Amino acid sequence: MTLPLESGRDRGAVRLPASRASLILAAGLVVVAVLRPPELHPGAAAACGLIAAASLWFTTMSPAVSRLPAWIAGFTPFALVAFLGAANRATALDETALLITLLIAAGCGRAAGRQAGHRESLLRLLVVLGSVVAIQALWQSLISYPRMAAAVRGIDPADPSGILVRLESGRAAGPFLLPAALGGFLALALPAALRGLRAWRGVWRAAAGVATILIGCGFVLGRSMGAIVAAAAGLLPLLPLLAPRRRARAAWVAGGVAIAIIAVFAATRIDEIRDPAGDPFGLRAGNWRVAAAMMRDAPWFGSGPGSFGSFYPRHLRPGLNESRHAHNSYLELAAGWGSWILLPIALLIAAWVARMRSAWLDPGDGTASVFLGAGTAFLTHNLVDFTMFLPGVAIPAALILGAAFGATDPAPERRAGHPGILPGSLLRAGGIVVAVALALHGVTAARSRHLLDRAVDVARRGDLAAADQAAGAAAKLRPEDPAPRAFLAQMVLAEKPGKASAAAGAVAAAEAVARDPDSAILHYTRALYHRAAEESAAAYRELSEARRLNPTKALYRAAEDDPPSAGPPPPGGPGE
């Protein structure tokens, strides 16, 4: 079984300069993604896009690239059909770019992972980044969060937004978006730190010891039960290194420790678990049922990449939470892209299990076991969470997955090739096109997002003219994105301007709906404009569509016969 990430240059020995270049590019991509997660920082998103494009360009122009693997050509038409069927082209493009970036990161990791020295360098990088991330989590819990909580309490002790509750809970997220993302990355770094305690000497051994302690503290501060399960699963491939003569006993001990830690974390969150509105187990089960229903409704090519957040509300039932992700990345991929994507996922898992068995029997220098352990943690975590869609965690995980296969690849003289179906010239041309498109998308999306963030900020300060200008510029940069137009339409409603601005807002509302017809809040916004223009039939039609797309939301069910009077819509946006 071979991993479906191979390229034609897998045949023959990998030249050292190419491997070193892959290592440098991969390291740069991971450092940017972890320290400045692209999901939070537009500049980092642009940098990751450029680095990924540079890596693809380098790989494409390499003389060793000659043929396109058959698996890519076989699944690409399915992906293209799913992409073209997406109603919201902006989110489809974003998710496609992310998956391409992850494949590139895996390719870099695989090329670098074939060199023992480069594998050690990657592991040391993980140890350093794990320490930095854990220190940031400590700073948040001990310093930042208490200060922010005091400031919020001083402004509004009631705090209806719930920010105060989250701050006072002390659950750190480090540089990431969520505590689960913090735990997911620490689960990637933990195997490298544990191996460093046994294999390294001197300063690096001390660094591995400090990192192990810090990572343990990070798990405590994040209190993500899914991350603990993932970390425990990631330790299993390390047992030949940690307990070579008593692997079975060590596995039972690791499992018992993980269960005990999960029980402690659950006790600290017992009030949240008892509350049906906050029970993480019940809510995740509901997310999975919705994802399965979406797969049933569109089994072959899905509802469109990046569309889960838009289609989820129409399946909401009492007791379910509002969510933009399925808390199971495999179900979410199948719901968005179609059930066909489960086949390459199954091939990946089968190849992964085969490599784990091989490393279990012969761990070699131990680096392959570490990468396999970290990759297992990531694959396990995505059964109960969605870090595959968070680039800050997904990019280093893709690098690790690729490095695990590179470390366990057969020797060059024994490496069996497979027939390609396209000549190298077409492959190079396609690679160049994708690299350029990826770079342009990364920069354009980051600029548009930065402008929209600026528009929101200046609007809060009352500078509506500047907000209108920034949002308009964001819309011009990404014509397919409904978010800037939705912001313009909702800003106009909130400020109740004159007729000219109202007309412009109505146009923006119509354009936003055209770009994301599956968003209930956008239909509701347009209904308000129709109501203000005394177009009752059109207003009723839009409000009815909003109710169809999100049947449980009280706002859309408040008036069954006539939409409410014009006023600002609730906070929200495309893809509600």
Side-chain angles (χ1 to χ4, degrees):
M1 178 66 68
T2 58
L3 172 70
L5 288 175
E6 294 180 346
S7 66
R9 70 171 178 164
D10 286 348
R11 303 184 189 89
V14 177
R15 297 181 180 180
L16 183 59
S19 180
R20 184 179 294 119
S22 296
L23 174 67
I24 294 171
L25 290 168
L29 189 61
V30 168
V31 169
V32 173
V34 172
L35 300 183
R36 302 284 291 178
E39 60 268 29
L40 294 175
H41 305 284
C48 287
L50 290 172
I51 295 173
S55 176
L56 181 58
W57 182 284
F58 171 81
T59 302
T60 300
M61 299 305 293
S62 172
V65 176
S66 60
R67 288 178 180 268
L68 180 66
W71 81 270
I72 294 180
F75 289 116
T76 298
F78 294 92
L80 183 60
V81 171
F83 174 84
L84 294 177
N88 187 334
R89 194 60 56 85
T91 57
L93 192 59
D94 291 339
E95 187 167 308
T96 301
L98 172 60
L99 293 182
I100 292 174
T101 300
L102 297 183
L103 288 173
I104 293 171
C108 286
R110 185 166 193 174
R114 293 195 180 106
Q115 299 287 337
H118 294 169
R119 294 197 296 272
E120 292 288 350
S121 297
L122 291 176
L123 294 179
R124 290 176 180 176
L125 177 62
L126 284 174
V127 167
V128 171
L129 290 177
S131 299
V132 171
V133 166
I135 290 172
Q136 187 168 344
L138 283 168
W139 178 267
Q140 282 178 340
S141 291
L142 300 178
I143 307 296
S144 299
Y145 284 0
R147 289 178 179 175
M148 295 170 64
V152 173
R153 185 173 291 280
I155 297 172
D156 183 4
D159 181 36
S161 67
I163 294 177
L164 186 60
V165 174
R166 290 192 291 271
L167 291 174
E168 292 184 338
S169 72
R171 292 190 64 197
F176 303 107
L177 181 65
L178 299 167
L182 168 68
F185 178 75
L186 294 178
L188 299 179
L190 180 61
L194 292 176
R195 178 185 175 272
L197 284 172
R198 296 180 62 89
W200 296 343
R201 296 291 181 268
V203 174
W204 279 109
R205 186 172 188 176
V210 172
T212 302
I213 296 172
L214 290 173
I215 289 171
C217 293
F219 280 122
V220 172
L221 296 175
R223 298 201 298 278
S224 171
M225 291 179 281
I228 292 298
V229 172
L235 293 180
L236 293 179
L238 265 68
L239 294 181
L241 303 178
L242 302 179
R245 297 183 180 179
R246 298 180 178 180
R247 301 178 187 181
R249 181 180 298 180
W252 282 105
V253 171
V257 171
I259 292 173
I261 294 174
I262 291 172
V264 172
F265 285 2
T268 64
R269 300 171 59 184
I270 190 65
D271 292 337
E272 176 186 352
I273 294 172
R274 285 174 175 171
D275 183 1
D279 176 15
F281 306 109
L283 295 179
R284 275 170 169 73
N287 298 155
W288 301 340
R289 287 196 298 271
V290 171
M294 291 171 60
M295 292 173 60
R296 180 195 62 212
D297 293 344
W300 300 114
F301 299 105
S303 57
S307 66
F308 186 86
S310 295
F311 278 77
Y312 180 84
R314 68 184 65 182
H315 296 279
L316 276 177
R317 297 294 180 269
L320 299 183
N321 63 328
E322 293 189 9
S323 177
R324 296 196 59 80
H325 292 283
H327 288 85
N328 183 310
S329 296
Y330 311 108
L331 287 177
E332 185 168 344
L333 285 171
W337 292 87
S339 56
W340 63 267
I341 205 171
L342 296 176
L343 179 56
I345 291 175
L347 292 175
L348 170 63
I349 299 301
W352 190 260
V353 171
R355 300 297 175 107
M356 286 181 62
R357 290 182 59 187
S358 176
W360 183 275
L361 297 174
D362 181 15
D365 63 359
T367 54
S369 298
V370 174
F371 287 121
L372 288 166
T376 299
F378 176 75
L379 295 174
T380 302
H381 196 198
N382 277 276
L383 287 170
V384 295
D385 229 307
F386 54 90
T387 53
M388 191 178 295
F389 296 94
L390 300 177
V393 181
I395 288 176
L399 171 76
I400 287 168
L401 291 171
F405 280 91
T408 55
D409 272 345
E413 62 274 9
R414 295 187 293 108
R415 190 180 300 139
H418 51 74
I421 62 173
L422 288 179
S425 58
L426 291 180
L427 175 59
R428 289 188 178 90
I432 291 172
V433 170
V434 173
V436 172
L438 190 63
L440 291 175
H441 170 267
V443 173
T444 302
R447 288 180 61 199
S448 178
R449 187 169 143 202
H450 173 73
L451 287 168
L452 187 56
D453 290 344
R454 182 176 180 275
V456 173
D457 183 57
V458 296
R460 288 173 178 168
R461 298 201 301 265
D463 191 348
L464 301 183
D468 182 85
Q469 182 179 8
K476 290 180 180 178
L477 277 173
R478 296 192 76 191
E480 74 282 0
D481 191 354
R485 292 168 176 82
F487 169 80
L488 287 170
Q490 294 171 5
M491 182 182 70
V492 170
L493 282 175
E495 299 302 326
K496 299 184 183 301
K499 291 184 178 179
S501 297
V507 171
E511 292 178 344
V513 168
R515 285 159 177 78
D516 189 5
D518 298 311
S519 172
I521 188 63
L522 295 185
H523 286 282
Y524 177 77
T525 302
R526 195 177 184 195
L528 296 181
Y529 276 100
H530 284 307
R531 175 61 175 176
E534 299 183 353
E535 299 168 350
S536 300
Y540 177 77
R541 186 167 55 250
E542 293 295 336
L543 184 59
S544 298
E545 183 66 7
R547 284 197 296 265
R548 184 185 72 84
L549 295 173
N550 194 341
T552 62
K553 198 172 187 68
L555 179 68
Y556 307 146
R557 293 184 289 107
E560 295 294 334
D561 299 322
D562 199 34
S565 60
E576 180 198 32

